[in-house]
């Protein structure tokens, strides 16, 4: 009986190999032959999964974005009783990739971002990944708006606008830690300060005001 091949599992394995090579050489330095060697599969196996190097890189970008999103969801699902504010903080911290164990992933992500400046297909895939993360943050902020209001005269924050700002902040903190401008602890403090101020604005918004 012919051996059954799990192509999706193989594609993910190849994507992991791509990420390792991107971390070493950047996207431009990745070749399909090197990926095959790193993934411990044949070159033909790589070519059956991806017709071109560009297609392979696009899948790798999608893979990293999905991995971050799934990690956020797992963090949220692991503590179902947490407050909306705590959930938002956990999600933002995961997206910022500040922990040491995520440093390589942060380097790979930013390498793709840099390459996307001259590659529209990569830029389009990154926009899709960012949109998914922004939507997730927007939903969490909307939930925090509903649960956090204590009454006041201030207008409530717009969840979509706040999600854009928070995603941009997390992305910037990732870069600042990688280049050594900030330590991970300083970046976490900056993120915490932003979230505390956002929570204060949520609590100041009048009850019943539409967000």
């Amino acid at each position: 009986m012919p051996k059954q091949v799990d192509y999706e599992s193989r594609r993910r394995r190849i994507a992991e190999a791509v990420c390792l090579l991107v971390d070493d050489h950047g996207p431009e330095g990745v070749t399909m032959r090197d990926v095959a060697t790193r993934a411990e599969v044949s070159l033909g196996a790589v070519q059956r999964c991806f017709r071109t190097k560009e297609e392979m890189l696009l899948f790798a970008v999608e893979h990293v974005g999905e991995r971050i999103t799934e990690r956020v969801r797992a963090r949220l699902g692991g503590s179902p009783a947490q407050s909306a504010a705590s959930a938002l903080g956990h999600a933002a911290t995961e997206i910022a990739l500040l922990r040491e164990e995520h440093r390589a992933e942060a380097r790979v992500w930013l390498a793709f971002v840099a390459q996307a400046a001259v590659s529209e297909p990569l830029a389009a895939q990154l926009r899709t990944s960012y949109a998914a993360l922004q939507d997730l943050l927007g939903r969490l902020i909307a939930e925090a708006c509903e649960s956090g209001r204590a009454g006041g005269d201030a207008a409530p924050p717009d969840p979509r606008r706040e999600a854009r700002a928070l995603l941009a902040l997390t992305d910037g903190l990732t870069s600042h830690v990688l280049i050594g401008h900030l330590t991970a602890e300083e970046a976490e403090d900056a993120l915490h300060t932003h979230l505390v101020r956002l929570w204060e604005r949520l609590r100041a918004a009048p009850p019943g005001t539409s967000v």
Side-chain angles (χ1 to χ4, degrees):
M1 178 179 292
K3 182 179 180 180
Q4 298 296 313
V5 177
D6 183 348
Y7 280 102
E8 192 56 36
S9 176
R10 177 172 288 178
R11 280 161 65 88
R12 289 194 297 270
R13 180 175 179 176
I14 291 170
E16 291 291 341
V18 170
C19 291
L20 291 172
L21 289 168
V22 167
D23 194 20
D24 290 339
H25 309 293
E28 290 185 325
V30 173
T31 69
M32 297 183 84
R33 187 174 299 279
D34 287 341
V35 168
T37 299
R38 186 63 68 96
E40 299 182 336
V41 298
S42 69
L43 177 58
V46 174
Q47 293 170 329
R48 282 191 290 274
C49 289
F50 304 101
R51 292 169 297 176
T52 64
K53 172 184 170 179
E54 180 177 76
E55 185 179 304
M56 183 176 65
L57 291 177
L58 291 175
F59 182 78
V61 172
E62 180 183 5
H63 175 70
V64 175
E66 289 179 349
R67 192 165 60 191
I68 296 170
T69 301
E70 286 305 312
R71 198 160 57 232
V72 171
R73 289 173 177 159
R75 181 81 179 269
L76 299 180
S79 303
Q82 65 188 313
S83 68
S86 294
L88 179 59
H90 290 156
T93 300
E94 290 291 346
I95 292 171
L97 302 174
L98 299 179
R99 293 201 294 274
E100 181 64 33
E101 61 264 32
H102 298 150
R103 203 60 49 80
E105 192 173 61
R107 289 194 301 268
V108 170
W109 183 261
L110 291 183
F112 280 129
V113 170
Q115 184 68 18
V118 293
S119 170
E120 175 52 30
L122 269 180
Q125 183 57 60
L126 281 167
R127 287 195 294 270
T128 298
S129 296
Y130 276 125
L133 293 172
Q134 182 174 299
D135 287 346
L136 177 58
L137 290 175
R139 290 195 297 272
L140 292 173
I141 291 171
E143 291 174 8
C145 282
E146 291 301 323
S147 65
R149 291 184 203 150
D153 297 325
D158 179 338
R160 288 174 296 181
R161 181 180 299 170
E162 294 298 337
R164 284 196 298 268
L166 181 55
L167 182 59
L169 174 61
T170 59
D171 215 39
L173 291 174
T174 304
S175 301
H176 285 214
V177 170
L178 280 183
I179 66 173
H181 175 65
L182 295 175
T183 66
E185 291 74 20
E186 289 169 336
E188 289 173 359
D189 181 66
L191 181 58
H192 176 72
T193 298
H194 177 86
L195 291 170
V196 167
R197 290 173 179 169
L198 175 59
W199 184 245
E200 290 173 349
R201 290 171 57 203
L202 294 177
R203 290 184 60 79
T209 304
S210 174
V211 297

